[in-house]
Each structure stands twice: as C-alpha cells, then as structure tokens.
Amino acid sequence: MIKTKRRIQGTQQEALEKGKKYRKRLTSVISKICDSSPVNNYQHLYVYGPAGIGKTFLVKKQLDESGINYNLVTGANSIFTLGVYLAVLQFANPDRDKRYIFVDDCDEILKSESNCNIMKNVLYGQKKFVYEKSMNSLLPALTEVQRSAILSFSSDDKMGYSVPTDNLVFIFTSNFKLACDDEVQEAREKG
C-alpha cells in the first residue's frame, strides 16, 4: 500500500514537472512569435495537446501580457466564415499593418484536405485566402460590412474572392497533431 501511494505521488510529481516544462516552453515560443524582430524564426504557431492542459489560457495570457493587438477566432467556424472574417479584417486595415490572429480550437477549420490546402496557401504559399466558389447565393446572408469586404476582394473575371494574408501572423490551438507533408506523402505511397 505504501509503495503504491509513493508511486502515485511520484507519478503526480513527474506530471506536474512535465506540465511546468511544457508551459515554460510554450510561453517562450509564444513570446518569440510576438517578437517582431527580423531574426524571429517563428512566423506562425500551431500548438497542440490534450484537452484541458491550458493551451488557450497560456496563449491568451501571453498575448495579453505582450500588449499585442490580436483577434480571437473560434475554430468552430467554417473555412468560409474564416475567409469572411479575414476579408472584413483586411478591408478595415487598408495599410495592411501586421495583425495577429489567434484561432482557438482550429480542428473544424482544418478538418479536410481541401481546408488544409487553403490554409497552406494562407500561411506559406501565395499568402492569400482564396475562396473559389460562387458567392451569389451567399452574399445576401452577409451583413453590409461583410458584403463590402468580400466585394472589395473579388474580381469580375473569377468566382469567389481572394484576401491577402502576408501581414497576418496566425496562432492555432488544437487537440490534435497535424501530419507533416512527408508523413502525408508516406501514407499516400502506402495507400
């Protein structure tokens, strides 16, 4: 009984120490992404881990303490809703000042290969959010500001809209690890 109790206490102590290290590392990484110096290696951040370990709390706390103006987006939104949000944000920011976007619980936004490809383009590709479907049925449901923003990023010769994202820094939190490109390629090769 005493050995079991000591083992449980030891396991709990190890978990607490592991949690402290995790929080310290995460705080350091978030601080680096908030640092606007040109030597910053962290352009965007994807934080994942089990539910309830404090990812959202730590990211918000660090962003608040840094004094950075950021926008919080809940990941329960669809990729279309995220695109509308980015269009409104960029429409209101014609000088394209640097902005931080905290996407909490991004699992819904990144749930499909198509959505992941859209976000790859936002983060590292052309650095644009591109929505290539017809907007005719969707525009009437949007607010006046949303419609104005979408139309400002639309062109007559293409369906959808394209919002520049080169001035945006994204921080995502998730309960799941995303596969890296080489892991996806290896899985495809295996069938």
Side-chain angles (χ1 to χ4, degrees):
M1 177 73 165
I2 292 176
K3 283 185 177 183
T4 303
K5 188 174 181 180
R6 283 186 190 151
R7 193 180 75 192
I8 290 172
Q9 287 175 340
T11 303
Q12 289 172 339
Q13 187 64 34
E14 290 168 11
L16 288 171
E17 290 301 318
K18 189 176 180 180
K20 282 181 189 177
K21 287 180 183 176
Y22 170 80
R23 286 187 297 279
K24 186 176 180 178
R25 182 172 177 270
L26 180 57
T27 300
S28 171
V29 170
I30 296 167
S31 294
K32 288 179 182 177
I33 200 169
C34 294
D35 179 12
S36 60
S37 72
V39 294
N40 179 6
N41 292 331
Y42 299 96
Q43 186 174 7
H44 305 288
L45 184 62
Y46 183 85
V47 179
Y48 69 93
I53 63 170
K55 298 178 297 290
T56 300
F57 173 79
L58 285 172
V59 171
K60 278 191 65 147
K61 181 178 184 249
Q62 191 63 33
L63 288 170
D64 289 340
E65 288 176 359
S66 73
I68 286 177
N69 186 9
Y70 66 95
N71 298 82
L72 175 63
V73 178
T74 61
N77 293 310
S78 67
I79 195 78
F80 172 75
T81 306
L82 176 64
V84 171
Y85 182 83
L86 294 176
V88 170
L89 181 69
Q90 294 292 61
F91 183 66
N93 183 20
D95 295 332
R96 300 240 305 265
D97 297 325
K98 187 174 189 177
R99 301 286 171 124
Y100 289 80
I101 310 296
F102 173 25
V103 184
D104 188 29
D105 289 329
C106 65
D107 305 329
E108 181 67 25
I109 290 171
L110 300 175
K111 75 178 183 177
S112 70
E113 183 178 357
S114 172
N115 289 5
C116 285
N117 287 334
I118 289 170
M119 290 309 296
K120 280 182 184 179
N121 194 41
V122 165
L123 301 171
Y124 301 108
Q126 297 175 346
K127 296 198 177 192
K128 292 180 181 179
F129 181 95
V130 179
Y131 188 81
E132 296 178 322
K133 297 179 182 172
S134 173
M135 297 293 300
N136 293 337
S137 64
L138 301 170
L139 282 175
L142 300 176
T143 67
E144 185 60 37
V145 170
Q146 291 171 329
R147 273 193 300 277
S148 296
I150 293 295
L151 292 173
S152 75
F153 294 109
S154 300
S155 67
D156 293 335
D157 59 334
K158 292 183 182 178
M159 288 195 314
Y161 60 98
S162 178
V163 181
T165 59
D166 56 327
N167 63 316
L168 303 178
V169 176
F170 287 85
I171 302 172
F172 300 92
T173 58
S174 174
N175 296 334
F176 304 101
K177 178 184 182 285
L178 284 177
C180 298
D181 284 340
D182 29 339
E183 292 171 329
V184 171
Q185 183 63 32
E186 184 179 318
R188 282 186 180 146
E189 289 170 1
K190 289 181 180 178

